[in-house]
Coordinates of all heavy atoms in Angstrom, one line a residue:
D63 N -17.7 -4.3 59.6 CA -18.4 -5.3 60.1 C -19.6 -5.1 60.7 O -19.7 -4.6 61.8 CB -17.5 -6.3 61.0 CG -18.1 -7.7 61.3 OD1 -19.2 -8.0 60.8 OD2 -17.4 -8.5 62.1
A64 N -20.8 -5.4 60.0 CA -22.0 -5.0 60.6 C -22.4 -5.8 61.9 O -23.1 -5.3 62.8 CB -23.2 -5.3 59.6
A65 N -21.9 -7.0 62.1 CA -22.1 -7.8 63.2 C -21.7 -7.1 64.4 O -22.3 -7.2 65.5 CB -21.4 -9.2 63.0
E66 N -20.4 -6.5 64.4 CA -19.9 -5.7 65.5 C -20.8 -4.7 65.9 O -21.0 -4.3 67.1 CB -18.4 -5.2 65.3 CG -17.4 -6.3 65.2 CD -16.0 -5.7 64.9 OE1 -15.8 -4.6 65.2 OE2 -15.2 -6.5 64.3
I67 N -21.2 -3.8 64.9 CA -22.1 -2.8 65.2 C -23.5 -3.2 65.8 O -23.9 -2.6 66.7 CB -22.3 -1.9 63.8 CG1 -21.0 -1.2 63.4 CG2 -23.4 -0.8 64.1 CD1 -21.1 -0.6 62.1
L68 N -23.9 -4.3 65.2 CA -25.2 -4.8 65.8 C -25.1 -5.3 67.3 O -26.0 -5.0 68.1 CB -25.6 -6.1 65.0 CG -26.9 -6.7 65.3 CD1 -28.1 -5.7 65.1 CD2 -27.2 -7.9 64.4
V69 N -24.0 -5.9 67.7 CA -23.8 -6.2 69.0 C -23.7 -5.0 70.0 O -24.4 -4.9 70.9 CB -22.4 -6.9 69.2 CG1 -22.1 -7.1 70.8 CG2 -22.5 -8.3 68.7
I70 N -23.1 -3.9 69.5 CA -23.1 -2.7 70.2 C -24.5 -2.1 70.4 O -24.9 -1.7 71.5 CB -22.1 -1.6 69.6 CG1 -20.7 -2.2 69.7 CG2 -22.2 -0.2 70.3 CD1 -19.7 -1.4 68.9
L71 N -25.2 -2.0 69.3 CA -26.6 -1.5 69.3 C -27.5 -2.3 70.2 O -28.4 -1.8 70.9 CB -27.1 -1.3 68.0 CG -26.4 -0.2 67.1 CD1 -27.0 -0.3 65.6 CD2 -26.6 1.1 67.8
E72 N -27.4 -3.6 70.1 CA -28.3 -4.5 71.0 C -27.9 -4.3 72.4 O -28.8 -4.3 73.2 CB -28.0 -6.0 70.6 CG -28.7 -6.3 69.2 CD -28.5 -7.8 68.8 OE1 -27.5 -8.4 69.2 OE2 -29.2 -8.3 68.0
D73 N -26.7 -4.0 72.8 CA -26.3 -3.8 74.1 C -26.9 -2.5 74.7 O -27.4 -2.5 75.7 CB -24.7 -3.8 74.4 CG -24.1 -5.1 74.3 OD1 -24.9 -6.1 74.5 OD2 -22.9 -5.2 74.2
K74 N -26.9 -1.5 73.9 CA -27.5 -0.2 74.1 C -29.0 -0.3 74.2 O -29.6 0.2 75.2 CB -27.1 0.9 73.1 CG -25.6 1.3 73.2 CD -25.4 2.4 72.3 CE -23.8 2.6 72.3 NZ -23.5 3.8 73.0
L75 N -29.7 -1.1 73.4 CA -31.1 -1.3 73.6 C -31.5 -2.1 74.7 O -32.4 -1.7 75.4 CB -31.5 -2.2 72.2 CG -33.1 -2.5 72.1 CD1 -33.9 -1.2 72.2 CD2 -33.4 -3.3 71.0
N76 N -30.7 -3.1 75.1 CA -30.9 -3.9 76.4 C -30.9 -2.9 77.6 O -31.7 -2.9 78.5 CB -30.0 -5.0 76.6 CG -30.3 -6.2 75.6 OD1 -31.4 -6.3 75.2 ND2 -29.3 -7.0 75.3
H103 N -23.3 -7.9 81.5 CA -22.1 -7.4 80.8 C -20.9 -8.0 81.7 O -21.0 -8.0 83.0 CB -21.9 -6.0 80.6 CG -23.0 -5.6 79.6 ND1 -22.9 -5.9 78.2 CD2 -24.2 -4.9 79.8 CE1 -24.0 -5.4 77.5 NE2 -24.8 -4.8 78.6
S184 N -19.5 -11.9 80.8 CA -20.9 -11.7 80.2 C -21.7 -12.9 80.1 O -21.1 -14.0 79.8 CB -20.7 -11.0 78.8 OG -21.9 -10.8 78.3

Side-chain angles (χ1 to χ4, degrees):
D63 186 1
E66 288 181 27
I67 295 171
L68 184 59
V69 168
I70 292 168
L71 291 174
E72 285 176 339
D73 284 346
K74 289 183 185 264
L75 178 60
N76 285 337
H103 297 286
S184 176

